[in-house]
Amino acid sequence: MNRAIAALGLRHRIVIAFALVALLVSTVFAVSTYALARGYLLGQRERVVEHQALADAGFVQRRLETAGADVSAVLTAAGTPAGHTVVLKWQEQWYGSALDEGREAVPAALQAEAAAGRASTQRFRTADGPVLVVGVPLPAVDGEFYEIAPLNELDGILRLLSSILIGGAFLSAGAGAALGAWASRSVVTPLNRVAVAAATIAGGELDTRLPPTEDPELATIVASFNSMVETLQQRIERDARLAADVSHELRSPLTTLVGSVDLLTARKDELPERSQQLLGLISADLERFRRLLDDLLELARSDAGLDLGSEATVSLGELLRYVVAEIGGDPAVVSGVEGVEVRGDKARLGRLFRNLVENADRHGGGVTGVVIGRSGEDVLVSVDDAGGGVAPEDRERVFERFATGPNRRGSSSGTGLGLALVAETAAAHGGAVWCEASPAGGARFVVRLPEVKR
């Protein structure tokens, strides 16, 4: 039971709690009211019947003291209220004001009390409904007087009262549930706003803030949250700008190094064989460093919001064939739907697809196909390679920054930023990228971008 309640949401738990509390309070109130009302009404009814029975018993006793009294006439003349029945034991004989009433109508316990000379009262239920019997001893004539009063009217009143109280308890529970729903909405709505704002901020919109509120209980939370986000935004922007500035400053010495190495490479034949090998290693590492710096600068500027390239309508087929040809591939590998256009920064989109094609060449045994397709209102570009594929557990990790080594299908020659830059660029253009198995056995990287409709 506790697990089932714990599995419910906060709003449902609040509604249930309010409903149960309202039901408990209303039930206690209903039971107390019914008990008090029943006790009062029964006590009042008993006093009335006892008073009437004593008066009737005195009348019957006076009549029986008269010689030659007719018992039937005496019982008839007693003038009991309508519905009341009188049973009389006199001279060891039983008499009743009704033909079907006699000794069997009086409980044995009540007969014993009257025989002992004590007046007593007892309630019990018969086939016709509840009744109240009052027993009065008549010592002057050696008799016992019993008056039976029906309680059907009182029982009906109590039943009506219990129905009203039960209905009131359920109505109170419903009102408590409604109050709980309102209270839970008042409690959960600010939390939902915080959750939505946090999700938006996690999505990259660091300018998101909670709206101001006049609620004194929430004002502190809103102010603290906005202050935290402001501090976080400033720190992220400062770190991103620092990375961008550092990367930019490294370009000058890197350019000098590249120029120097190129000069040495031009006169490579004049160097000893060992120096030539060393120059080859330096050239390879310098090229890797250049790619790393370019990717790092691109990511840093993207994080800092500095790379705001102009948007234009880009023909995907032309862009993909140009990218494949630029890196020395065969443009014929590009196939699929023609005339597809997307909107975005052409330079950044070119870098996106260039990274995918280079990744396939460097780590996947070469590109086997670049296919353009449609999915609803989006464009899908699939890049297949001839490698061994990517393990299912690594298909998300390959898009992490600096994910090299085993996460790059056994190769560590990359910068570890190429696919991370692909994911960042696709997200910046309202799309996404993912990795799956290619039908040919290699890896397939799929880029989704919104299509421009004409």
Side-chain angles (χ1 to χ4, degrees):
M1 181 66 178
N2 292 334
R3 291 182 179 179
I5 294 177
L8 297 174
L10 176 61
R11 294 188 61 176
H12 292 89
R13 293 201 299 271
I14 293 176
V15 171
I16 292 175
F18 270 78
L20 290 178
V21 170
L23 181 61
L24 177 62
V25 172
S26 59
T27 300
V28 172
F29 174 77
V31 171
S32 302
T33 301
Y34 180 79
L36 292 173
R38 183 176 181 275
Y40 173 78
L41 293 176
L42 283 176
Q44 186 180 43
R45 180 64 172 161
E46 286 181 1
R47 287 191 295 272
V48 171
V49 174
E50 288 173 358
H51 180 76
Q52 181 66 41
L54 290 174
D56 294 341
F59 174 81
V60 170
Q61 177 173 283
R62 288 192 297 272
R63 288 297 185 91
L64 292 178
E65 288 175 347
T66 304
D70 184 359
V71 176
S72 299
V74 171
L75 295 179
T76 302
T80 55
H84 286 215
T85 303
V86 172
V87 176
L88 177 65
K89 180 183 179 183
W90 184 53
Q91 295 180 356
E92 301 303 325
Q93 296 292 324
W94 288 86
Y95 305 90
S97 60
L99 296 178
D100 57 346
E101 297 287 354
R103 178 177 182 178
E104 65 279 358
V106 181
L110 196 64
Q111 294 180 30
E113 290 290 326
R118 295 188 295 270
S120 58
T121 303
Q122 183 175 343
R123 293 192 306 272
F124 64 96
R125 184 171 291 274
T126 66
D128 296 329
V131 296
L132 175 65
V133 182
V134 178
V136 181
L138 304 176
V141 295
D142 191 21
E144 300 170 8
F145 178 86
Y146 302 94
E147 185 164 342
I148 304 173
L151 299 178
N152 291 328
E153 183 180 358
L154 180 59
D155 185 62
I157 294 175
L158 293 177
R159 286 178 181 273
L160 177 62
L161 177 61
S162 64
S163 299
I164 293 174
L165 292 175
I166 292 174
F170 282 106
L171 286 177
S172 297
L179 180 61
W182 175 83
S184 65
R185 188 161 50 250
S186 301
V187 171
V188 175
T189 297
L191 297 180
N192 289 337
R193 291 175 181 170
V194 173
V196 171
T200 305
I201 292 169
E205 299 183 19
L206 298 179
D207 293 333
T208 303
R209 299 291 185 272
L210 289 177
T213 178
E214 296 181 357
D215 190 336
E217 302 294 334
L218 298 176
T220 302
I221 298 177
V222 170
S224 300
F225 182 87
N226 290 339
S227 176
M228 176 193 68
V229 175
E230 182 71 25
T231 302
L232 178 63
Q233 181 182 16
Q234 292 176 359
R235 179 170 298 180
I236 291 176
E237 291 178 350
R238 183 171 61 250
D239 293 344
R241 290 177 183 275
L242 174 63
D245 293 340
V246 170
S247 300
H248 181 73
E249 291 299 324
L250 287 175
R251 276 185 173 275
S252 296
L254 178 62
T255 302
T256 302
L257 285 174
V258 170
S260 300
V261 171
D262 288 343
L263 181 60
L264 290 175
T265 302
R267 305 182 66 177
K268 180 178 180 181
D269 296 338
E270 301 177 8
L271 299 175
E273 182 179 354
R274 187 176 182 83
S275 298
Q276 291 180 12
Q277 295 177 353
L278 181 60
L279 180 61
L281 294 175
I282 293 175
S283 298
D285 283 343
L286 192 60
E287 176 61 23
R288 182 171 179 270
F289 180 52
R290 184 190 63 78
R291 292 199 308 268
L292 172 63
L293 189 60
D294 288 342
D295 291 342
L296 183 61
L297 179 60
E298 174 69 18
L299 287 173
R301 292 175 64 84
S302 177
D303 290 341
L306 300 177
D307 196 355
L308 304 175
S310 59
E311 288 192 352
T313 300
V314 181
S315 174
L316 268 185
E318 295 179 3
L319 178 63
L320 289 170
R321 280 187 284 270
Y322 173 80
V323 168
V324 172
E326 184 183 23
I327 64 174
D330 184 3
V333 298
V334 180
S335 62
V337 181
E338 293 293 336
V340 176
E341 295 180 335
V342 296
R343 182 172 297 279
D345 181 5
K346 185 175 182 179
R348 297 184 68 185
L349 290 175
R351 190 182 301 114
L352 181 156
F353 293 113
R354 187 181 302 108
N355 284 345
L356 286 180
V357 175
E358 289 179 346
N359 178 76
D361 282 339
R362 188 178 300 114
H363 308 295
V367 177
T368 60
V370 179
V371 181
I372 305 172
R374 285 192 176 97
S375 176
E377 298 182 353
D378 296 327
V379 179
L380 298 181
V381 178
S382 302
V383 180
D384 293 351
D385 62 40
V390 180
E393 62 272 15
D394 292 332
R395 289 175 183 173
E396 293 185 7
R397 297 175 59 192
V398 293
F399 297 103
E400 297 177 0
R401 299 183 182 186
F402 300 104
T404 57
N407 293 336
R408 289 295 190 203
R409 295 175 279 172
S411 174
S412 60
S413 61
T415 65
L417 294 176
L419 292 182
L421 187 58
V422 169
E424 294 278 352
T425 305
H429 286 79
V433 62
W434 64 89
C435 178
E436 59 187 35
S438 172
R444 168 176 288 179
F445 289 86
V446 183
V447 179
R448 176 180 58 82
L449 296 172
E451 182 180 3
V452 175
K453 297 296 184 180
R454 289 191 177 274

